[in-house]
Amino acid sequence: MKKELLAPAGDLTRLKTAIIYGADAVYFGGKQFSLRARASNFTISDIAEAVQFAHSYGRKVYVTVNIIPHNSDFEGLEEYLKILSELGVDAIICASAAILELSKWVAPQMEVHISTQQTTLNSQAISYWRSKGADRIVLGREVTLRQIEQLAKNTDMPLEVFIHGGMCANYSGRCTISNALTNRDANRGGCAHSCRWNYHLYQGDQCRDRDDYLFSMGSRDMNTSPIMEKLLKTEAISFKIEGRMKTAFYIAGVVKGYRYLIDCYQSQGFISEEQYRTGMDLVSLVENRESFTGFYEGFEGKKGQLYSIHNSTASQNFVANVVSYDDASSLAIVEVRNHFEKGDVLSVLNPLGFAADFPAQMWDLDGNEVTVANRPLQLLKLKVPVEVNEYSFVYAPEVGK
Amino acid sequence: MTDWLVTIRDIANIEMFRELGIDTLIVADERFSSSPCGLSRDQLAMAVAKIRKAGLKAAIRIDRLFYEDELADLESYLRMLDQLPADLIICTDIGVKQIADRIKAGYQIIYAPETLLTNGYEIESLKRDGMSGCVISKDITIREVYDILRQVPDYCYLKVHGPVLLSYSGRGYISSYLERKGNYLEGWHLVEETRSDVLPIVEKNGESWLYWQTLQSFSEISYLLKAPLKGLIIDNNLYKDEYTLKTVSLYRRVMAGEISGSEALEQLKGFDRSIKYLDINDLKATWLQKG
């Protein structure tokens, strides 16, 4: 059975990046009715372009309509769902039985996937969504591999699981800490991540803080690249990356890493140690937060928690976007994003293959040699020994190590 | 006529709740609920029998989400409750209804997912599916609550008193932090490092529930009783029965016009100074849905 790699897209650039790097399907939110209010999100014309682009590569497009709606949120929803269907959107992802019913009524051919905001953990809950006409369930991130296997035996519903990215500390959709402490509605796109703050812990009047760090509910991010073979052996059909707020560089690295691991498994039935190393290296190239493999092998308490909000190391290894490439001269025109200097060891994250490291040699557009690239958005010519294209990213592999 | 549903910890107090005009008492077991003082199976069976003998209805709180490997035990529990028989089940996992339907259980199922029932269309849909009733979510304005009640009259329940549940997690927060496995049931709370809000927290069998201040509706109760609600819930699962009995008696006095809402609140504050209160209008107004 073909396994689907499903990637997030905060805007059209990131959507195209995800597809070029090998996502089988992409998901994003429109301007309304979607969580992740701070993501750029897509206008109707963006959605039309996204569908056209994705379908031209034979890939699918899912649109998140995953707010927990209030009565007033239904205004304009019917028309919106009709438009999504007419544009050729393959599915919506929603967390509401009312939205599901409305969608099936106005656009019966468009699939409806039930969001992880419902925290569906068992086959009986799935049977409810089946009775409502749902086409796929995104399982809660708290299920173990063993539970997925058990569950798959008791349902014929297609199952989607998360494999990478941020995790809610609480059962998704069942948390209003943000509402209470910041007046921002978590279930309508305003989550302030108050779970990641530091708290003092008391038992009665007695403070029970540890000496080394304060209490927090914050979760480490999920990174299942080390256990991908086990996940691919389950009956789940779709493997989802979280991160509509993430950069194109991040999307490229994570999608390429998981694409590689999935392809290895699908072609030979297993992932070798060396292949694991390659895939995990690609993922870790763009990942700068502490991670764990989620609940899949059982929750390991402290190892899944993030006890200091300051412990993510800012990754500065991404140094330039590729704008174009001249094969004859092996010169790429690049747009500078972070500081690098002549002679620095660089590499490329490249949809056209894997690249070896090379020393930085660069010139301005008039042909004058440049020794320090430190002006963001400056265009430079950079010697790149392998073919690259406008979806390639130049990075400094030694930075941040 | 709006039913009153109230949590009870000690079955010795059933008669006092009956005398205060309560229709339904809510009890919970150790495993399938968030309750920090859940009853054993035998105690639960005895509680249901005594509640029914007193002429009241017995509601069972089943407010957890369930994993696939728990379903067999959950079904066995739901069959046991049918045999007792319990009158109502208040559940958080929609799968509970699917099992109850399959085993043709005789009790009513009230769906209470805490955060997910924020509109009338959702609730109408559940009504069409045969759900006996729904508890409206806390994170909407009081005006939205009244709109929903007009849309789906005589079907919904509303929590009017008790600690506000902020979150439910599949993680054992305290045991992870202290690196010591176990249950942390009563007396634990958090205080954010730059704020003063006291947030009670319960950890039980590897899951955690975080609470906020205690909701109270003394000033709104007369209006709520005129609305087409099926039931009002006093959910004091973190507190002892003495507190809950005092709470109920004060609501009764407000309803009888003997004291005002603010007088009732002052009297309740005097009963336990450690509890911080949140007016239902403030709660609803506070959650501004700024998005």
Side-chain angles (χ1 to χ4, degrees), chain B residues 30 35 40-41 65 70 82 92-93 96 133 142 147 156 163 168 180-181 187 196 213 219 233 258 262 265 267 290:
Chain B
E30 294 162 322
S35 177
S40 68
R41 291 284 174 98
L65 295 170
E70 295 181 286
D82 191 37
T92 293
D93 191 322
V96 169
I142 195 79
D147 282 348
C156 297
Y168 170 28
R180 204 177 66 229
K181 285 188 177 172
S196 58
Q213 297 168 359
S219 60
I233 300 172
E258 295 169 14
S262 55
L265 179 58
Q267 287 193 30
K290 284 183 178 172

Side-chain angles (χ1 to χ4, degrees), chain A residues 172-188:
Chain A
S172 296
R174 318 276 173 155
C175 177
T176 49
I177 304 175
S178 174
N179 305 47
L181 301 188
T182 70
N183 284 343
R184 284 169 49 171
D185 190 337
N187 286 325
R188 294 167 98 197

